[in-house]
Amino acid sequence: MVLRRASIGEPPPDPVADAAADAVLDIVGGATVELFYSPTGTAPLATQTERAQASATGDGPTGWDLTVVVTLGKRIAHLVGTDERTSLADLLDELPRAAVRAATQLRNHVDSNNLVPVTPAVRRAVRDTVATEVLSAYLRDRVSAMRPDLVGETIEYLIELSGTRVESHDLTHGVIVADVLRDSPRLEFAYPADIRAAKRAPLLFDGQQSLLVIDPSGRARRELQRHRFEHLIATAAPPPVTALDLGESGSLVAAATQVLGGLGFFLRADRSIWTFIDGRPLLVRRSEHWTAFPLELSMSIANMIGGGSVATLVTQAALMISARPRGAILAIVEKSSDLDTVVSLKDRYDLRNDIDPLAMEFETRLHHLIDAEDLDEHTLVRLAMLDGATVLDREGRLLAYGAIVSSADSEHEGARTAAARTLSETALVVLKVSVDGDIMIFRNGAAVATLLGRPAVSRRS
């Protein structure tokens, strides 16, 4: 929700700031963004000191100062209310500053006296500028003096590549901006300007087998291959086996940021742009909108089910699946008997030894070939991407996979959504991953949150 008010009279027209507020809501759905205007030189809005709130003040329209206040929604506010600093808290601190800077940069390009909303092209520019400001702030904290336009130019180049094919290939491309090479290069390659002219560059640095290392001055320095980290830094260990292996969505770029620091970018073949910090995803651009990767999802699910390591296991699997063009249903139940009236006996992995071998269906016989006693996220992903639901108990034991959950509502919504909704009436929590990568969380027969997706509700108040 976006709120607008002023210390005196009515707030002035400021369509670019309105668009910046919408961009913030894209990044952290369910938040409230307040735009508070005060005459230039007067005291800005006195904000609260809640941990789930952050603010920044800067220039507004002529004669006004603008204070942007971002407050997280109740469903995730508790995730920054701990003594331990979280990535969500870091992102929250940057968002209002990014919104103020984006509005300042673009406001002069829009006629604020015209009450007509900004054009779609300006909205896209505002969204990309807010993301650029957030990512630039993260990068400045991790490198020495950097070229001011480096992040923005990189994003623009990746957007350009996302609509291009080379030698009949859907392009992927990976780069990392890191402060690891201190020597002066023999040849100067400005990124992305000089690389843009080399059509095969994206194919050489595909982000899956090799990525391009950029220094903070914006110079392309050398490639980094998946199996040759020590060629860049002699003391570097091989890429760590990350807890969140995103496969074709940039596990190499993620590993590079974990080993080398800096900021990583990966353009997927589906035209989405993924960014990475410290080995983990930060912001994702898809369908021209930027969304924060749900890093605290496991904490939220753990709270829903009363704790337990299974929350982390299911979260990792859901995020790994969301990075692929596949869908899935993942559920956590209190105890195995909760499935007795929901899932067919033939789909019950936990009851595979209780079925008469002479009456066992061929699909059920496969249960005896599956190694899922000590379930990890990779095995869970493989099973969950089969048609049907995958169900675990609170201890992380596999109860069912490929399970068919019938629903009377499937005529009114997608079959996977209807099945997830029905299953959530019995389960503690259900995660439905769509083929587009959105993750919907269901409890008690209702959707309670959508992650990595775009909100479709009115935001003005």
Side-chain angles (χ1 to χ4, degrees), residues 172-390:
T172 64
H173 185 49
V175 299
I176 179 173
V177 182
D179 205 0
V180 295
L181 296 172
R182 303 304 176 88
D183 59 312
S184 298
R186 178 170 176 266
L187 297 175
E188 293 274 348
F189 289 94
Y191 188 88
D194 291 341
I195 298 297
R196 182 181 277 115
K199 293 183 178 180
R200 292 184 179 179
L203 301 179
L204 288 172
F205 314 113
D206 64 356
Q208 300 179 66
Q209 301 303 318
S210 173
L211 57 83
L212 186 59
V213 179
I214 312 298
D215 68 23
S217 297
R219 298 174 297 188
R221 299 300 302 270
R222 61 170 299 167
E223 74 169 344
L224 175 61
Q225 296 184 45
R226 177 179 290 276
H227 60 293
R228 292 180 172 177
F229 269 53
E230 74 281 0
H231 285 198
L232 184 60
I233 298 181
T235 58
V241 179
T242 58
L244 185 59
D245 181 2
L246 293 165
E248 64 270 21
S249 279
S251 60
L252 173 59
V253 181
T257 61
Q258 189 168 351
V259 173
L260 308 178
L263 171 65
F265 296 85
F266 181 67
L267 170 65
R268 265 182 51 168
D270 67 0
R271 301 184 179 185
S272 60
I273 298 171
W274 295 61
T275 63
F276 298 87
I277 289 287
D278 302 330
R280 63 180 187 267
L282 179 59
L283 299 183
V284 179
R285 187 187 194 269
R286 52 157 51 113
S287 301
E288 300 180 347
H289 289 252
W290 290 89
T291 306
F293 206 78
L295 298 170
E296 278 75 22
L297 175 57
S298 61
M299 296 172 58
S300 181
I301 293 176
N303 289 333
M304 291 180 186
I305 67 174
S309 60
V310 67
T312 299
L313 176 63
V314 170
T315 298
Q316 290 173 351
L319 297 180
M320 289 164 66
I321 296 169
S322 76
R324 298 163 167 82
R326 302 289 293 273
I329 297 175
L330 292 155
I332 302 172
V333 297
E334 177 71 33
K335 55 187 181 300
S336 61
S337 59
D338 292 340
L339 294 181
D340 290 349
T341 60
V342 180
V343 173
S344 171
L345 183 62
K346 70 179 180 63
D347 295 327
R348 294 285 297 272
Y349 177 82
D350 62 319
L351 300 180
R352 62 194 182 284
N353 295 322
D354 299 341
I355 303 174
D356 181 357
L358 297 178
M360 193 178 296
E361 298 184 23
F362 284 103
E363 290 291 334
T364 307
R365 293 186 180 189
L366 293 176
H367 297 337
H368 292 268
L369 305 178
I370 300 299
D371 180 11
E373 289 300 304
D374 186 15
L375 194 62
D376 58 41
E377 64 271 15
H378 300 284
T379 301
L380 182 55
V381 166
R382 181 169 57 87
L383 298 175
M385 288 195 298
L386 300 172
D387 287 339
T390 302

Side-chain angles (χ1 to χ4, degrees), residues 17 25 138 295 411 417:
L25 293 183
Y138 273 81
L295 298 170
E411 295 181 359
T417 300

